[in-house]
Amino acid sequence: MSTVVAPPPAPKKVNRIGLEVLPYRGAKTTLCAGCGHNSISERIVEVFYELGIEPWTVAKMSGIGCSSKTPAYFLSQAHGFNSVHGRAPAVSTGALLANKNLRGIVVTGDGDTASIGIGQFVHMLRRNVPLTYIIENNGVYGLTKGQFSATADRGSKQKSGVINDMQPIDCCLLGIELGATLVARSFSGDKKQLSTILKACISHKGLAVVDVISPCVTFNDHEGSTKSYSYVKDHETALHELSYVPYYEEIQIDMAEGETRDVTLHDGSHLRLKKLDRDYDPTNKYEALNAIHQAEDKGEVLTGILYVEQKRDTLLDMLNLVDEPLATLPVERVRPGREALDMIMEELR
Amino acid sequence: MSTSEVSPVASRTGGPSYRVVNDWSIQVATVNGSGSQTANSVLMRSIFQMGVPVSGKNLFPSNIAGLPTWFTIRANKNGWIGRKKEIDFLIAMNPETAREDVLKLQEGAAVVYDEPLKLNELRSDLHFYPVPFDKIVAPVCPDAKLRKLVKNIIYDGVVAHLLGIDLEEMRKALYKQFGARKAKAAELNWNAILAGKKFAEENLEKKDPFSVERMDETKGKIIIDGNAAAALGCVFAGCTVVTWYPITPSSSLVESTIGYFKRLRIDKATGKASFAVVQAEDELAAVGMVIGASWAGARAMTSTSGPGISLMAEFVGLGYYAEIPAVIFDVQRVGPSTGLPTRTMQGDLLSTALLSHGDTRHPMFFPSSPAECFTMAGDAFDFAEQFQTPVFVMTDLDLGMNNWMADPFEYPTAPLNRGKVLTAEDLDKVAEFARYRDVDGDGVPYRTLPGTAHPKAAYFTRGSGHNDKAAYTEREDDYVNNVDRLSRKFETMRSWVPQPEVLVNEKAKIGIICCGTSRYAVEESRDQIMREYGIETSYLRLKAYPFTSALLDFINQHDRVYIVEQNRDAQLMALMRLEFPVDALAKLRSIKYYGGMPLDARTVTTDFVTQEGL
């Protein structure tokens, strides 16, 4: 019998709710090495771990495409649903109707959102469905080998040399026009900004739409593409420097007057926007639309929190639902009494 | 009391003593949007209140106002309330169709008509009753703007006199229709009925043989349309999520559901709703929301018609493979696009059974009456959750939108069957949770709901490419194992679906099979075949797909079996061809009707007689 005393195990690194990072991770990615989508999945893992959100309170939703595979690559202890091409908005809306306590995170692509599912996308915007809706935007269809998507910029070149002549659909413009209450654009290569934006989305009460330019290394990372790593790095123009203070932490640094804007989010967290070239007010819809249009004219990729509005009711508010999830209400709460049916029968006699 | 039986070939111009009591049909021809609905409902209800079995069918165009519309009422002392093709009593209010309507009548029919139309000049073998509606309406309705709406109800008074309807019953029916809140409108209409009755008493001499006499056959019964019945079924089945896109003839199913939800499912203390209704942007989104809600554990439904079913195909396939409950009502109608959206059909049986791509089979329920719309709505939710699959409730326009005399609905006392759902406590007790594993050997796996606070709860939902742990796979053995299990699940369903109604006549060599609203014509046709040709028949009415062993037994018990259905391609029979042995199939014959009107007994009888060579 051994009498050697084993050294105590090194303390495991855990987050504020005592969970290790493992349940926040997912299966190994099957996307191409260097795909922007993988960086976004990493940010999602990081953000949920850092915020200390129970993974099982999250519903990971997607449509079909490269981007829609990614919910399998994060939050292994959250239910996930890889649904129908372009139809993640409907499935996610339904899931929230059933259980309003779920945190919905939707990962879609530009094919999903701007083409086959644009009808569902715009109606989700109108309804202000409380979701974090990420568009992994690379301007091409990857799984079907490189066709242009509807977000490809005019003049952008396909790998085969074909030039896109058509007007791109800007999902952020649609988001602001049609009712999303937080609209942001980021770049999969900008880790800090993307993490901060995702945290703000999670703290936001309504629909948060994030258009993340996420280069496709296989089909759209060449010279002449406006969604390549080098193009976006050269043309990214950040609106502000973002920082986020979660509701459970005290604010340490005072804001310098006129240099920083503070947005208190629904859960009490703070989003801080430090002025860069100009003082940008993300609560001003007209300024937001103007800024996006001007950036497009200049060929800039404008990133940051483009728009935020915190007063509007979400779909779930409008429905005035009971406090508990509809899915698990007991029969007494969902089957009216015998006398109710008797009364209706009497009226029909 | 003389109550002569009338066969369609018999003359109806007998002597003065010839009477036809409680066995006739009325057709009211008006213009869509002219307010005739109230007059027709009151007329139908007053006959119902006299204890006479009755049905009402609205034949309307796809139009808001201005096009011709017909309402037929059939009263029948034997309880045959299916459509009857022959019209005995025409009320001709629409100048556009009056001529054609009159020319179509059989001799001996009666015609109440707007006097200026001078219809009596068209034929000499009918009983004509001219009524100057405009002259009668003016004194009872001083407000000229309302006259167009009040004018129609005058014919109720005229017909009450001619048929012998108890005026007190008509008054009760009228006030029931308007309710306490619209007492003024009710009074205005009541005066118009009285004016019609008075005119008829003073000016019209009864010449036709048709009349109503009090019976006791409707006691305790209700009048309701199938859509409202299904709506009540959903509300009492604990449905919590309804997502939909408007489409005729299904819209009123959801609109009724919303009405009953607001009345019965809002918490009185907090004013909060135990239901969510979303009008979606299209049927794709409607069924997508149902799939999402059911995945997250709600009892969710959508209601549509054929065009919507087509749009839902991809999602329904996903529901089948990902094994997600869903309740989908299909109020069937004729054809896609502009066409005959306001006409009835059993046209989606085959496409719905196999909806989507890959190997898919979906359970369908076939309600035939309002009471079955109510019970089968509840059954559908239980079934969808028990088997974790989309379930279709196949009604049709005739059942959904027409008013039916019906048995009152019985309060559902069975607990809700929520299926195999593992909670966090259940997960503590199991070694492993594998979402698609056939633990019980019935093909039905266990599921967990999103939000379940347990490290073992989560799984990843996707289409056909998964193994029994819900992990992604493209391996052929995983795929085959999974679809074979889905087949086992389908086999298990056979012993859980509503069993057919079977009437086996030991002497009968011939069987007749139908489903849904075809029953009214078929049951009456069997009576005609017996009375007119002396042939006994057996009868089986299907209530669900997949078929149960009772169907094959029935076919095997008979020499020949007729399948009656309301479509061109014998869709119900085609479903039998997919699974029955050739000797059984060799016995099958088909009686089909696909003109868009509710099926009538004579059509069935005539086809049967021709095929039998009688």
Side-chain angles (χ1 to χ4, degrees), chain A residues 193-334:
Chain A
Q193 188 200 50
L194 180 55
S195 282
T196 313
I197 286 173
L198 289 176
K199 285 177 181 172
C201 293
I202 291 166
S203 293
H204 178 67
K205 186 185 164 201
L207 173 61
V209 170
V210 197
D211 181 40
V212 188
I213 312 301
S214 175
C216 173
V217 287
T218 304
F219 294 109
N220 207 10
D221 198 31
H222 47 267
E223 185 69 34
S225 158
T226 60
K227 298 269 193 285
S228 67
Y229 277 110
S230 62
Y231 184 92
V232 182
K233 271 178 196 153
D234 292 347
H235 294 81
E236 182 183 2
T237 309
L239 275 169
H240 30 231
E241 193 182 312
L242 293 171
S243 57
Y244 171 93
V245 184
Y247 66 90
Y248 49 84
E249 277 177 19
E250 270 186 57
I251 297 175
Q252 301 283 337
I253 310 150
D254 285 331
M255 291 188 288
E257 187 79 20
E259 289 296 306
T260 307
R261 286 176 179 271
D262 183 276
V263 179
T264 308
L265 297 163
H266 176 70
D267 68 357
S269 302
H270 290 263
L271 180 66
R272 305 196 127 190
L273 297 71
K274 192 174 167 210
K275 189 167 124 182
L276 290 174
D277 299 338
R278 56 176 157 171
D279 183 21
Y280 181 77
D281 177 6
T283 63
N284 184 330
K285 189 180 209 167
Y286 307 104
E287 190 177 344
L289 295 171
N290 199 16
I292 296 169
H293 281 298
Q294 283 184 355
E296 190 200 331
D297 290 347
K298 286 189 271 181
E300 290 174 355
V301 180
L302 194 66
T303 62
I305 300 281
L306 295 164
Y307 180 64
V308 61
E309 182 205 335
Q310 302 208 77
K311 286 188 187 143
R312 213 150 57 78
D313 279 350
T314 70
L315 174 66
L316 301 179
D317 296 329
M318 293 181 245
L319 290 169
N320 195 25
L321 302 178
V322 292
D323 299 336
E324 305 84 348
L326 294 180
T328 46
L329 288 175
V331 64
E332 317 80 77
R333 303 274 303 274
V334 294

Side-chain angles (χ1 to χ4, degrees), chain B residues 522-593:
Chain B
V522 169
E523 288 166 12
E524 186 180 355
S525 170
R526 288 181 63 228
D527 182 65
Q528 289 174 348
I529 291 167
M530 181 63 216
R531 280 190 294 105
E532 296 168 20
Y533 298 92
I535 296 174
E536 307 257 17
T537 56
S538 294
Y539 174 53
L540 182 144
R541 177 168 66 85
L542 287 163
K543 293 186 186 172
Y545 177 82
F547 303 130
T548 70
S549 56
L551 176 60
L552 190 56
D553 291 346
F554 181 86
I555 295 170
N556 287 335
Q557 276 172 294
H558 296 91
D559 293 349
R560 293 183 295 287
V561 175
Y562 287 84
I563 296 162
V564 181
E565 51 188 312
Q566 298 174 54
N567 58 66
R568 186 196 64 185
D569 293 340
Q571 298 184 13
L572 194 58
M573 189 156 94
L575 288 174
M576 295 177 201
R577 287 190 186 284
L578 289 174
E579 57 183 83
F580 287 165
V582 282
D583 56 330
L585 295 177
K587 295 180 176 185
L588 300 185
R589 298 183 178 192
S590 183
I591 292 177
K592 299 167 296 187
Y593 169 77

Side-chain angles (χ1 to χ4, degrees), chain A residues 93-120:
Chain A
T93 302
L96 287 180
L97 296 176
N99 185 348
K100 61 197 251 183
N101 296 336
L102 290 173
R103 274 176 200 277
I105 176 163
V106 187
V107 182
T108 71
D110 35 312
D112 255 336
T113 293
S115 284
I116 193 168
I118 197 164
Q120 299 219 328

